[in-house]
Amino acid sequence: MKEVIYTIPINDAYDVKCGCPVCRLENKLDTEAREYVMGAAMMEPDVRIMTNEVGFCPRHFSEMLEMKNRLSLALMLQSYLADLLQDGVVKDTKHISKKEFEKIADKLRTASDGCFICKRVEEKLSLFVKNIIYIWESNEEFRKKTRKQEYFCPKHLALLCHTAKKLISKRNYSAFCEDHFFATRKILNSLSEDVTKFCNSYNYMFRDIPLGEAKTSVERTIDFLNGDIKK
Ligand SMILES: [Zn+2]
Ligand SMILES: [Zn+2]
């Protein structure tokens, strides 16, 4: 990859050094995609065709509902419903053929699988991840920064490693895995110790040992496993 187009937002996300930096990037892309759909995209017929085709997932529908531009959402829904009904030609008839019903049901199901915003974020994130790998390969400072991250969440750790495996040499890939695991190992160790302490607290032999921070270990472990993506 010759051009590195996302250096600034990537460095911004890595400079915070709190939580998973890739979750920070993904949350930013998600906000931008929602604002795009509710704003500029409203006037673009091409986008309307695509949103009619794939629809929106439950999470993104709820988030768009919380945004201020209700008319934008209503216009999108108007077009989506009109398209759906036209597809099955059901508007003026009480009966529907099996084939028409299946077509509508399939289309409604697709909307909950992976929506226009989900797909847009996924595509952009995959470019960011390629750029992260390129910067890591070419910049010693960025490698140091990688090791200093609080952690990488499971989803992004897997995405980074799977992408890097295809893009870089075997030797560099080993070092890449080490750097990312180095950052994540701290939290895995501490969660593991705390969860064990929590479990032991149910054993009468350990009943006098104060739980301290281990009290919240189950919640913290699930938070880590779920990642920092807005739900
Ligand atoms: Zn993450
Ligand atoms: Zn979605």
Side-chain angles (χ1 to χ4, degrees):
M1 193 185 298
K2 286 200 179 89
E3 268 181 280
V4 180
I5 38 181
Y6 301 122
T7 308
I8 295 169
I10 289 171
N11 271 308
D12 284 350
Y14 274 66
D15 281 340
V16 180
K17 296 190 189 84
C18 167
C20 170
V22 191
C23 279
R24 249 190 308 284
L25 286 168
E26 188 170 336
N27 283 331
K28 194 165 172 269
L29 290 173
D30 203 273
T31 305
E32 284 167 3
R34 266 186 292 121
E35 284 169 357
Y36 169 70
V37 167
M38 295 284 278
M42 201 173 75
M43 294 308 193
E44 290 179 33
D46 288 358
V47 176
R48 189 60 59 81
I49 291 168
M50 280 192 275
T51 56
N52 284 350
E53 197 51 46
V54 290
F56 295 97
C57 69
R59 172 166 82 90
H60 282 125
F61 261 141
S62 315
E63 285 176 357
M64 286 192 292
L65 204 56
E66 281 165 23
M67 289 169 80
K68 284 199 179 97
N69 198 348
R70 188 55 63 100
L71 176 63
S72 207
L73 188 55
L75 288 167
M76 210 134 48
L77 291 172
Q78 182 191 34
S79 166
Y80 175 72
L81 292 171
D83 187 74
L84 193 72
L85 292 173
Q86 206 177 35
D87 254 13
V89 206
V90 291
K91 213 167 188 175
D92 300 316
T93 167
K94 280 184 184 157
H95 299 287
I96 184 170
S97 74
K98 205 172 74 185
K99 214 173 167 189
E100 284 163 350
F101 173 75
E102 282 170 1
K103 205 170 168 185
I104 291 183
D106 270 352
K107 214 166 171 186
L108 283 167
R109 189 174 52 84
T110 319
S112 59
D113 281 352
C115 81
F116 179 79
I117 297 179
C118 287
K119 283 183 204 299
R120 194 176 162 91
V121 171
E122 200 182 298
E123 277 167 27
K124 291 213 167 183
L125 189 69
S126 104
L127 291 177
F128 268 95
V129 165
K130 283 178 187 159
N131 274 217
I132 289 171
I133 294 161
Y134 179 82
I135 303 170
W136 176 90
E137 235 190 342
S138 55
N139 185 324
E140 183 53 37
E141 273 308 302
F142 190 77
R143 292 188 194 206
K144 280 186 198 154
K145 218 186 266 186
T146 300
R147 292 167 75 90
K148 281 183 186 155
Q149 294 304 310
E150 190 185 359
Y151 57 81
F152 289 86
C153 76
K155 174 190 163 187
H156 292 132
L157 197 60
L159 179 65
L160 283 159
C161 290
H162 287 151
T163 315
K165 196 173 184 178
K166 290 183 221 146
L167 292 181
I168 57 181
S169 70
K170 265 190 184 171
R171 204 167 139 243
N172 277 354
Y173 176 62
S174 296
F176 184 86
C177 291
E178 258 176 49
D179 280 358
H180 286 79
F181 187 63
F182 180 85
T184 308
R185 176 172 66 178
K186 290 167 287 186
I187 195 166
L188 286 173
N189 284 338
S190 97
L191 288 173
S192 165
E193 276 173 28
D194 283 356
V195 169
T196 302
K197 214 168 163 186
F198 184 87
C199 295
N200 285 344
S201 73
Y202 285 80
N203 183 332
Y204 76 97
M205 280 168 65
F206 299 97
R207 66 174 180 261
D208 294 332
I209 299 174
L211 258 183
E213 288 210 333
K215 221 179 236 176
T216 57
S217 60
V218 173
E219 292 90 327
R220 282 186 287 118
T221 304
I222 289 173
D223 279 347
F224 164 72
L225 294 173
N226 282 344
D228 308 328
I229 296 294
K230 285 178 296 178
K231 312 270 175 356

